[in-house]
Amino acid sequence: MVVRRGQPFDLRVLLPRPFDPEDDSLCVELTLGLIGGPNPQVAKGTHVLIPLGETSATGWTAEEEEREEGAERPGGPALRLCVTAPPDAPIGRYRLSVKTRTGVGEYAAPFEDANDIILLFNPWCPDDNVYMEKTSDLNEYVLNETGRIFYGTEDQIAERSWNYGQFDAGVLEACLYILDRRGMPHSARGDPVMVSRVVSAMVNSLDDNGVLVGNWTGDYAQGTNPSAWAGSVDILRAYHRGGAPVRFGQCWVFAGVMTTVLRCLGLPTRTVTNYNSAHDTDVSLTTDIYFDENMRPMERLNTDSVWNFHVWNDCWMKRPDLPDGYDGWQVVDATPQETSSGLFCCGPCSVTAVKNGEVFLKYDTPFVFAEVNSDKVYWQRQPNGAFSVVHVEEGAIGRRISTLGAGSGARIDITHQYKHPEGSEEERRAVSTATSHGSRPRTRGTPSTGEVTVTVGAGPAVAGAELELRVVARNQGAEPRTLRLRLALAPVRYTGVAGAPFRQEQHRRAVPPGQEETVTMTVGYAEYGPHVGDQDALKLSVAGAVEETGQVVAKELRVRLQAPDLTLTVGAGRVPGVPAVSLGTVEAGQTLRLRQPVVPLRPGRRRLVAAMESAQLGPVHGTLQFDAAPDPTGNAGSAAEPPPRTRRGRRRRARPAGSTGG
């Protein structure tokens, strides 16, 4: 049986004779821990003894609810008890037994697997540290078994459907196995802060042979292409079954599995995508980009990177380990990027602390702050070999932070939860606060300004078609200006790692006062196609200087190539025989149609997710939501309510409002 903290559950105890409260005593016993592991202890909350009608030392209660005294009852006389775990009890699988004491001695029923209970966090219980008040939020962030994960670029947001499947068979056992595999003390499993931190370490395979092996090389011959996964269930089942890390994952896969595990354990969790996500490697809390004297990028020095997108998780909890005001959403990230206390894990980190630049609060706030609100600082090598700052770009990092809205099923922008309005006094104060605690504290100045501004853009970016890139220089001054520009086009992994430029151009343009000049770069598929792989984009780097004033300009543009749509529809009736599959080349403008019979395993609103793989495009995803009717035979589940139970004897206390959940 699976129950939640603070949620009463019924326990029926069969007896050889009627229970006499005057002469008999009864005690419910529960133990938490692995067989062969440390002995459960009362002081640690892992050995629970609950005298009938009293409260245990650990806060558990057991009350008599109903007495069945007739010998004709099935099984003989029995007691029906109401047992409740405290809202801070450790989660996990408890072994359950009953001890009795009578005038002739003591007896303890044996522990049997069939009597085990699994205890989870309870976001419906106001006294649980993961309590979430709004029903719509609970329906989305705890109970929703499917969702959408956003990717792409800030100007070309794409989405993939994901089957979280936190209630599927075998998933709960796999989630508890993850905690056991890490060796997490059972006494610490009542703290959502520590549980979420352990899960973030265990979902990646580094340090502890966790769930998923990360792979960003493009070579997936020894496992599964990360883009081919459409859900978490197969990954978790495979890990639990074999005990070996599953190959392979990238950030959205780590985040999807993280959402499944945390929702399964009872923590409200959402999957979050950050566009233009910085990876700060030296805790400077800035994103540093280096150029030589001719404004050519010095890639060997550019260890900081800007990911086209990065996906992590927010989970909802109170933070008693922090000062007041930091409860609510907390960032946890299972993608192995940098170590935290020697382990590849990240969080939980208060979103409020990130917003205010309070990077001195645990856990890993400096790293998360840099991901969403660091400034891009451009350094140029001088003739004497030293480097100096020639340009500071504010507002380029942490764009259009996205998640799936509760109840709406639509993407919502939550950037305002992570930072104050870009350029506002509050936002600049947060940046100043954060950088003052970085590895290279610096005094905040004004951002780079000048008479000449540069913007970059692109026309429609369709895989296989010609691509047009544009650089627009505008002279806002009263004097004519001459601008020297260097353009470089290179492939870039979604993690921000750029390849060598395959097209470079130099331009010199005179820009009259109050007017603008446009530089166009046209690139055919034959030129860019060989350089772009799965999840790759194209990065246009623009750098230059104004001859008359020495003003430096710099901009970057990332372009993701649009893939074809994968559309799913429901046909009428069953499709007999083997599904029809067409093989071969699909020409431009053609449509490929496949048929596949599907059998829903449960009634209700369900979501079907499909993935198609192509060597030229990478996996393409599609989704379909439909309503599955109950099977008349009952084989696929039933919507019928169980018959009401006849009660007699002692009444139980009313259950606290909001203490039960799905």
Side-chain angles (χ1 to χ4, degrees):
M1 182 162 68
V2 180
V3 296
R4 299 186 184 273
R5 310 193 302 188
Q7 175 186 8
F9 64 93
D10 293 336
L11 176 65
R12 186 167 181 257
V13 184
L14 301 178
L15 302 170
R17 62 169 175 77
F19 179 76
D20 183 354
E22 299 297 327
D23 297 326
D24 302 331
S25 62
L26 182 144
C27 177
V28 178
E29 180 180 21
L30 300 103
T31 62
L32 176 65
L34 295 173
I35 297 176
N39 290 328
Q41 299 179 33
V42 173
K44 295 184 179 297
T46 55
H47 188 191
V48 180
L49 297 168
I50 322 169
L52 182 60
E54 301 179 26
T55 301
S56 74
T58 51
W60 291 69
T61 61
E63 299 179 353
E64 184 181 351
E65 183 183 51
E66 183 178 11
R67 193 175 303 170
E68 303 172 3
E69 298 181 346
E72 73 282 357
R73 305 281 299 184
L79 285 178
R80 192 176 295 275
L81 309 180
C82 177
V83 180
T84 306
D88 59 354
I91 65 166
R93 184 174 189 136
Y94 285 80
R95 313 224 68 196
L96 186 146
S97 177
V98 171
K99 292 183 175 181
T100 58
R101 177 179 296 172
T102 68
V104 298
E106 298 181 358
Y107 174 76
F111 289 103
E112 297 180 355
D113 292 346
N115 294 333
D116 290 355
I117 67 164
I118 295 177
L119 189 68
L120 304 177
F121 293 108
N122 190 354
W124 284 265
C125 177
D127 295 324
D128 196 308
N129 276 354
V130 302
Y131 172 65
M132 179 173 265
E133 185 175 6
K134 294 178 64 175
T135 300
S136 60
D137 289 346
L138 289 163
N139 289 340
E140 177 63 43
Y141 302 126
V142 182
L143 300 181
N144 195 353
E145 298 177 68
T146 61
R148 300 201 301 280
I149 300 176
F150 301 99
Y151 66 104
T153 66
E154 64 164 315
D155 296 320
Q156 299 164 297
I157 293 179
E159 63 182 50
R160 66 175 73 238
S161 292
W162 195 265
N163 176 37
Y164 295 121
Q166 65 267 33
F167 304 124
D168 280 19
V171 171
L172 176 55
E173 290 77 8
C175 295
L176 297 177
Y177 171 73
I178 287 172
L179 302 182
D180 294 338
R181 180 70 177 265
R182 183 71 185 93
M184 184 181 188
H186 289 82
S187 58
R189 300 186 187 187
D191 182 1
V193 173
M194 289 295 100
V195 169
S196 63
R197 187 159 171 79
V198 165
V199 173
S200 80
M202 280 298 299
V203 168
N204 69 74
S205 65
L206 298 180
D207 308 314
D208 37 34
N209 287 319
V211 178
L212 271 167
V213 177
N215 185 343
W216 289 266
T217 67
D219 179 5
Y220 311 119
Q222 302 302 313
T224 299
N225 184 329
S227 295
W229 295 113
S232 309
V233 176
D234 289 345
I235 296 171
L236 289 168
R237 285 175 176 167
Y239 181 67
H240 186 208
R241 180 174 61 250
V246 177
R247 300 168 181 261
F248 294 107
Q250 292 180 4
C251 69
W252 67 91
V253 187
F254 290 112
V257 172
M258 190 83 172
T259 296
T260 298
V261 174
L262 294 180
R263 285 186 185 180
C264 181
L265 297 178
L267 277 77
T269 305
R270 63 188 185 185
T271 308
V272 175
T273 301
N274 178 39
Y275 292 95
N276 290 1
S277 185
H279 181 177
D280 177 25
T281 57
D282 59 2
V283 202
S284 65
L285 302 183
T286 58
T287 302
D288 300 301
I289 302 172
Y290 293 89
F291 293 88
D292 65 12
E293 295 87 341
N294 297 314
M295 292 302 292
R296 290 178 299 206
M298 302 179 67
E299 296 298 348
R300 64 183 180 82
L301 297 180
N302 292 334
T303 56
D304 290 349
S305 59
V306 179
W307 296 34
N308 299 345
F309 69 95
H310 181 46
V311 188
W312 62 64
N313 303 91
D314 288 345
C315 54
W316 182 272
M317 67 181 74
K318 294 180 180 177
R319 288 300 298 270
D321 57 325
L322 298 181
D324 291 341
Y326 299 96
D327 298 342
W329 290 117
Q330 314 289 321
V331 177
V332 284
D333 189 351
T335 301
Q337 298 180 86
E338 300 291 328
T339 58
S340 172
S341 301
L343 297 175
F344 280 97
C345 64
C346 181
C349 159
S350 166
V351 171
T352 300
V354 172
K355 183 174 184 176
N356 295 323
E358 294 166 317
V359 297
F360 44 83
L361 295 174
K362 58 184 182 182
Y363 292 90
D364 308 305
T365 311
F367 185 79
V368 178
F369 177 87
E371 288 183 299
V372 302
N373 207 12
S374 57
D375 289 341
K376 289 177 75 172
V377 180
Y378 294 80
W379 300 76
Q380 184 181 21
R381 186 169 62 192
Q382 303 302 306
N384 63 2
F387 286 87
S388 61
V389 176
V390 294
H391 184 63
V392 176
E393 186 178 3
E394 299 176 355
I397 300 299
R399 307 283 295 177
R400 303 186 73 177
I401 304 174
S402 303
T403 193
L404 198 61
S408 68
R411 184 190 73 87
I412 60 172
D413 192 308
I414 57 172
T415 308
H416 65 282
Q417 297 181 17
Y418 274 85
K419 53 185 181 179
H420 298 282
E422 204 69 63
S424 66
E425 182 179 347
E426 295 86 353
E427 189 265 344
R428 288 290 93 195
R429 187 184 304 119
V431 172
S432 180
T433 299
T435 55
S436 68
H437 291 84
S439 61
R440 190 175 60 244
R442 61 188 180 95
T443 303
R444 287 295 313 148
T446 57
S448 302
T449 57
E451 297 174 330
V452 177
T453 61
V454 169
T455 58
V456 289
V462 179
E466 186 177 79
L467 178 63
E468 181 181 283
L469 305 170
R470 296 182 299 274
V471 181
V472 179
R474 182 171 182 79
N475 182 1
Q476 299 173 320
E479 299 292 333
R481 295 293 182 237
T482 304
L483 182 63
R484 290 186 179 274
L485 288 174
R486 180 183 295 274
L487 282 60
L489 186 63
V492 58
R493 296 280 175 88
Y494 91 91
T495 57
V497 178
F502 59 86
R503 168 81 79 88
Q504 299 188 70
E505 297 179 0
Q506 297 185 57
H507 298 268
R508 185 176 183 269
R509 295 295 174 92
V511 188
Q515 297 186 31
E516 61 186 33
E517 283 287 323
T518 300
V519 176
T520 301
M521 176 187 284
T522 302
V523 190
Y525 177 72
E527 184 175 1
Y528 71 74
H531 302 282
V532 181
D534 180 29
Q535 292 301 327
D536 287 355
L538 295 173
K539 181 174 75 169
L540 175 65
S541 299
V542 180
V546 178
E547 290 183 355
E548 291 83 358
T549 64
Q551 176 196 346
V552 172
V553 295
K555 280 287 183 180
E556 289 184 346
L557 173 69
R558 298 178 186 226
V559 180
R560 187 185 70 85
L561 301 172
Q562 180 182 347
D565 295 327
L566 186 61
T567 305
L568 308 183
T569 58
V570 175
R574 297 181 180 271
V575 180
V578 179
V581 178
S582 298
L583 301 177
T585 302
V586 183
E587 300 295 339
Q590 287 189 339
T591 300
L592 173 68
R593 290 183 173 88
L594 310 176
R595 293 187 302 165
Q596 174 66 50
V598 175
V599 180
L601 299 180
R602 284 183 287 170
R605 178 147 294 187
R606 314 302 298 163
R607 186 182 294 272
L608 181 67
V609 180
M612 181 189 75
E613 292 192 59
S614 163
Q616 290 82 10
L617 298 172
V620 180
H621 289 256
T623 182
L624 171 70
Q625 186 167 281
F626 63 94
D627 293 313
D631 189 325
T633 66
N635 291 334
S638 172
E641 293 292 330
R645 185 175 63 191
T646 304
R647 295 186 179 274
R648 61 188 182 90
R650 184 178 303 179
R651 292 181 178 268
R652 77 164 82 175
R653 293 182 304 183
R655 296 185 178 184
S659 64
T660 61

